[in-house]
Amino acid sequence: MSSTNFIEDRPLQDNLGRRFPYLRLSVTDVCNFRCTYCLPDGYQKTHDDVFLTVPEIRRLVTAFAEMGTWKIRLTGGEPTVRKDFLDIARTVAGIDGIRKLAFTTNGYKLLQRAQDYYDAGLRAINISIDSLDPRRFHEITGHDRLGEVMDGVQAALDTGFEAVKINTVLLKGLNDGELDGFLSFVEDRPISLRFIELMQTGDNLTYFRKHHIPATVVKEKLKERGWEVQERDIGAGPAIEYVHPDFQGRIGIIAPYSKDFCTTCNRLRISARGGLHLCLFGAGGYDLRPLMQSDEQKEELKNKILDLMKFKKSSHSLHDGDSGVRQNLASVGG
Ligand code: SAM
Ligand code: SF4
């Protein structure tokens, strides 16, 4: 990873003055799990499964890096199902200006692959674990693999990843009784476990009504147990982080329905087919792929991205029950 600092004559910025150091790049829509709130019937093949190629990704990330983006998260779908995932990681890690390369994974085969991921330049890993109870984990993901995923978490710690985080979607009636179990899990481990409030999507309305819990419920419980809010780092993701003197790990809360969620927005998203999504919950993406076809198009690509910034809205409309027509989060990365 290079430490080159570009003179950002034209940094990415929207009309509200928000800057975008952080890009979430989806590399596939495909997933091998069937999480009940995301892809309950598993990934359904569509007419067009041609995801961004490595050269397209290199051109895209180079353009973003030259406009001030320095943190990239590879996501999906399940990013690691791509056979060329390591090649993607190596390519992105080698781009001038990229200082932090992260990925989000369901932990499939992580035990066997953690070292390869690290060697390819990945330094931060988010692993999704919605329950520490093997039966419930199976029920939520469609896979009886909690033990394997937990071994993968340990492998990531042993390998020396700079940040190991766990994503846990809060689900009423499923994992809402597990708070203390999750807290003890981070007691002696340098892990940040982040509770994500379930988001409504086009596909999960009935599920959402049944299982959504406001993040405020967990915030109250953390306060009662002596956890305190930590200052937010520059380039940090959307979590509000809590610390406790008796715990090595941290707890994060990602609450997209909270009133301040959008004011600290510092990220943009690219779908696996090259659509720029200005908001996780905005409607369709702006197709950038035609401008990723040759190195000569770089200035045109940058101009296009800069131009689209004016369409970034101040806030999503989730409070009004508008899910932004996103069918599920696997299509653009959570
Ligand atoms: N497959 C990888 C994984 O599960 O970690 C990466 C993609 S997944 C879409 C990224 C994150 O989004 C996961 O932590 C997942 O739990 C979360 N997610 C998916 N659908 C969600 C929803 N409707 N509400 C809240 N989080 C969701
Ligand atoms: Fe797959 Fe991740 Fe969605 Fe689960 S949350 S179905 S692992 S993309």
Side-chain angles (χ1 to χ4, degrees):
M1 238 155 291
S2 158
S3 59
T4 307
N5 281 321
F6 285 99
I7 300 164
E8 299 161 26
D9 52 340
R10 293 179 305 157
L12 269 183
Q13 191 166 317
D14 69 6
N15 289 339
L16 300 169
R18 292 178 298 191
R19 302 280 291 263
F20 299 97
Y22 183 3
L23 180 70
R24 294 192 174 196
L25 173 58
S26 176
V27 296
T28 181
D29 288 357
V30 179
C31 187
N32 47 359
F33 279 25
R34 299 188 295 274
C35 300
T36 41
Y37 49 80
C38 183
L39 295 175
D41 302 318
Y43 173 70
Q44 306 293 313
K45 209 170 158 42
T46 60
H47 59 289
D48 168 23
D49 274 354
V50 186
F51 303 118
L52 290 179
T53 63
V54 175
E56 286 171 332
I57 289 172
R58 176 178 55 72
R59 291 179 193 121
L60 177 81
V61 175
T62 303
F64 270 98
E66 290 187 12
M67 295 189 292
T69 297
W70 53 265
K71 174 174 172 183
I72 305 284
R73 174 174 302 282
L74 303 178
T75 180
E78 174 52 35
T80 66
V81 301
R82 271 198 59 164
K83 291 202 165 54
D84 56 357
F85 180 67
L86 295 178
D87 197 11
I88 294 173
R90 267 189 298 269
T91 301
V92 174
I95 290 173
D96 268 357
I98 298 305
R99 305 207 298 265
K100 187 160 179 187
L101 180 58
F103 71 123
T104 306
T105 176
N106 58 27
Y108 180 78
K109 297 242 163 114
L110 180 56
L111 173 63
Q112 295 88 328
R113 297 177 179 169
Q115 188 66 50
D116 291 343
Y117 295 149
Y118 188 89
D119 293 344
L122 290 152
R123 289 292 177 271
I125 177 168
N126 284 21
I127 305 149
S128 299
I129 302 179
D130 296 328
S131 175
L132 295 177
D133 174 87
R135 264 191 306 148
R136 204 171 289 129
F137 180 93
H138 187 176
E139 193 186 321
I140 295 170
T141 62
H143 282 258
D144 186 10
R145 291 183 186 269
L146 178 66
E148 277 175 57
V149 174
M150 296 299 262
D151 290 346
V153 172
Q154 190 55 49
L157 288 171
D158 296 342
T159 306
F161 277 87
E162 288 158 16
V164 177
K165 297 183 181 170
I166 291 182
N167 287 357
T168 302
V169 179
L170 283 168
L171 299 167
K172 183 159 73 187
L174 291 170
N175 63 10
D176 50 343
E178 289 194 53
L179 178 64
D180 288 310
F182 283 120
L183 296 183
S184 10
F185 182 68
V186 301
E187 193 168 351
D188 300 313
R189 291 181 178 89
I191 285 180
S192 172
L193 187 146
R194 295 110 53 83
F195 291 111
I196 306 175
E197 194 172 325
L198 178 64
M199 293 175 243
Q200 182 196 319
T201 61
D203 280 349
N204 77 7
L205 188 53
T206 312
Y207 188 93
F208 176 84
R209 290 201 180 115
K210 190 166 169 205
H211 294 294
H212 175 255
I213 326 171
T216 43
V217 172
V218 180
K219 287 183 182 171
E220 283 307 312
K221 289 185 178 164
L222 289 174
K223 226 199 256 169
E224 282 163 25
R225 288 160 173 77
W227 289 78
E228 286 184 3
V229 175
Q230 184 78 355
E231 283 282 308
R232 201 171 178 274
D233 284 341
I234 301 166
I240 297 171
E241 289 231 305
Y242 288 74
V243 291
H244 190 293
D246 301 338
F247 289 73
Q248 204 187 342
R250 295 171 168 215
I251 295 294
I253 303 276
I254 300 181
Y257 297 94
S258 74
K259 73 175 174 26
D260 292 330
F261 185 73
C262 300
T263 50
T264 54
C265 183
N266 60 356
R267 46 207 176 274
L268 296 168
R269 292 182 161 79
I270 298 284
S271 73
R273 293 179 178 80
L276 172 67
H277 293 259
L278 299 171
C279 173
L280 178 55
F281 289 98
Y286 300 92
D287 188 11
L288 298 179
R289 198 167 196 178
L291 298 177
M292 297 176 208
Q293 301 314 305
S294 83
D295 293 355
E296 284 66 53
Q297 291 172 296
K298 187 168 72 180
E299 289 309 314
E300 210 185 330
L301 175 59
K302 284 162 69 177
N303 287 336
K304 178 77 183 172
I305 297 166
L306 283 167
D307 210 37
L308 289 169
M309 284 302 109
K310 61 176 179 280
F311 297 117
K312 185 158 166 74
K313 296 202 183 115
S314 61
S315 167
H316 58 58
S317 308
L318 291 180
H319 309 95
D320 308 324
D322 176 3
S323 72
V325 301
R326 180 90 52 248
Q327 285 310 109
N328 53 62
L329 296 199
S331 63
V332 74

